[in-house]
Amino acid sequence: MNELSLQFFWYVIVGVSVFAYVALDGFDLGVGILNAFTKKDQDRRLFLNAIGPIWDGNEVWLVIVGGALFAGFPDVYATLFSGFYDLCMILLAGLIFRAVAIEFRSKRASKGWRSTWDAVFSIASFLISFGVGLAFGNLFMGIPLDANTDFRGNFALFFRPFPILIGLFTVSLMTMHGSIFLAMKTEGALHQKLRVWAKRSMVVFIALYLITTVCTWVLAPHMVLRFKENPWLFVVPLLALLSILNIPRLFTRNKDGLAFLSSCLCIFLLFCVFAIGTFPYLVRSTIDPALHSLTFFNSSSSLLTLKALAIIVVIGVPLVLGYGFFIYRVFRGKVKLDSSSY
């Protein structure tokens, strides 16, 4: 493989890893958000045990994203983790406190103890979901990078109206994704209640999707430029729309598993739309997009580094996928509570 091929390979690896994180840890975050809407201790225990065996494994993809950026695109890593430093610290705090809440929640039978960690679990899940969306929203719009690719903004810049909209859209996506997953994993009265929640979350998600689509055309015209130049690419957002509409169609027919897979496909296709709109940029500069932006070919590591990393990926990623498949296979089916449960 030549240098450009390896650079593009790593660009794809980063994109696939981000998708895997959002699709897998996304329903964990959705479960955390939904945890705030039920008051029964048994329901909350069922929520936790539905994700208990898998949530930490799902976070591995976030580690892969960080590692791939650090090793494959060090300039992007440096710019994002310095420019987005405050936002990254908030996200990191959310990840830490969510993990602590999951593990500590059932250590004591005290109602106050459990209520406290339930609140931490839900707040952290919301903050992570909103923060991820906020970060993507700023990547959509671009951020001020100078000739040295240094960030020339402040923390308030992240809270522009469009990134906030993307943040709320992401929260609605995670909530819908999590509600479908919980519907797959529960039964009885809780299952019926979750079906109602899932349908409501789908309505909110579709409404925000339509609003976001219109706002993207108006506020981020550079995101649709490539589609206008190559009209055949409109097949990707069309497929994304069809996958979104297919979610409630399958769910109302009690095909929860297929609805969940359609939700995963929806996330994948939305990422494809994002990738097409931003290609070849990884971080777009609003000061001078042509000269100051970071692309996958002007911010990558050396050819030797990319080759060495490719070997690690070829070995490591199948192991991660194999482990994930094994865990999901072992813990498939409806969740039950026993003496070893959270």
Side-chain angles (χ1 to χ4, degrees):
M1 297 177 71
N2 58 32
E3 185 172 13
L4 184 60
S5 298
L6 278 169
Q7 290 168 336
F8 182 72
F9 170 77
W10 274 97
Y11 175 79
V12 172
I13 289 295
V14 171
V16 170
S17 299
V18 173
F19 155 70
Y21 172 72
V22 174
L24 297 178
D25 202 33
F27 65 77
D28 297 333
L29 296 171
V31 170
I33 294 169
L34 290 168
N35 188 68
F37 294 94
T38 185
K39 303 302 179 185
K40 294 182 179 179
D41 181 71
Q42 182 171 349
D43 290 352
R44 289 178 167 176
R45 289 186 67 201
L46 284 167
F47 283 15
L48 282 177
N49 284 278
I51 64 171
I54 55 179
W55 70 268
D56 49 355
N58 292 338
E59 281 191 348
V60 168
W61 291 101
L62 187 61
V63 178
I64 294 175
V65 172
L69 286 176
F70 176 77
F73 301 100
D75 290 346
V76 174
Y77 180 90
T79 297
L80 288 181
F81 283 85
S82 58
F84 286 56
Y85 184 82
D86 293 333
L87 186 57
C88 288
M89 290 301 102
I90 293 173
L91 287 173
L92 183 59
L95 289 166
I96 292 171
F97 278 100
R98 182 184 67 148
V100 172
I102 292 173
E103 296 299 333
F104 277 30
R105 193 260 180 197
S106 297
K107 296 298 183 183
R108 294 176 60 183
S110 166
K111 184 177 180 180
W113 172 271
R114 293 189 171 187
S115 296
T116 299
W117 289 115
D118 285 335
V120 171
F121 179 42
S122 296
I123 293 170
S125 297
F126 176 85
L127 284 177
I128 296 167
S129 302
F130 183 74
V132 168
L134 198 65
F136 273 108
N138 280 281
L139 293 176
F140 264 72
M141 294 293 289
I143 58 176
L145 299 181
D146 62 17
N148 297 317
T149 66
D150 291 329
F151 178 68
R152 295 301 178 188
N154 53 43
F155 185 64
L157 179 75
F158 298 129
F159 294 90
R160 291 170 287 178
F162 186 74
I164 290 176
L165 175 61
I166 298 297
L168 295 174
F169 171 74
T170 305
V171 170
S172 71
L173 172 60
M174 304 296 198
T175 304
M176 178 191 70
H177 202 44
S179 64
I180 298 171
F181 176 77
L182 284 175
M184 290 168 48
K185 300 293 287 184
T186 56
E187 53 191 355
L190 178 59
H191 173 78
Q192 295 303 320
K193 180 167 66 173
L194 283 165
R195 296 194 69 81
V196 175
W197 290 3
K199 291 175 182 178
R200 290 174 180 172
S201 67
M202 290 174 196
V203 172
V204 175
F205 168 69
I206 293 173
L208 283 173
Y209 168 76
L210 295 175
I211 294 170
T212 301
T213 300
V214 173
C215 289
T216 301
W217 277 81
V218 176
L219 300 177
H222 59 277
M223 289 293 297
V224 298
L225 185 61
R226 192 170 299 276
F227 292 98
K228 292 179 179 179
E229 293 174 345
N230 303 275
W232 63 271
L233 289 173
F234 276 106
V235 69
V236 180
L238 177 60
L239 289 173
L241 176 60
L242 291 175
S243 68
I244 290 170
L245 296 177
N246 194 43
I247 297 170
R249 185 185 74 86
L250 292 170
F251 194 76
T252 53
R253 296 183 179 185
N254 294 317
K255 297 179 179 179
D256 299 348
L258 291 177
F260 181 76
L261 291 177
S262 188
S263 182
C264 293
L265 178 62
C266 151
I267 294 171
F268 174 75
L269 290 170
L270 289 175
F271 267 108
C272 289
V273 172
F274 171 78
I276 293 170
T278 57
F279 187 86
Y281 300 126
L282 287 168
V283 185
R284 181 178 179 273
S285 171
T286 55
I287 297 175
D288 191 335
L291 295 178
H292 300 169
S293 297
L294 291 170
T295 66
F296 74 87
F297 50 79
N298 72 5
S299 62
S300 67
S301 298
S302 68
L303 179 60
L304 181 61
T305 300
L306 294 176
K307 285 182 177 179
L309 293 173
I311 296 173
I312 296 174
V313 166
V314 170
I315 297 172
V317 170
L319 292 176
V320 174
L321 291 172
Y323 169 79
F325 176 79
F326 174 75
I327 292 298
Y328 279 89
R329 178 75 178 170
V330 170
F331 293 99
R332 68 189 184 279
K334 303 293 184 180
V335 63
K336 305 286 186 180
L337 294 181
D338 55 36
S339 57
S340 63
S341 300
Y342 283 101

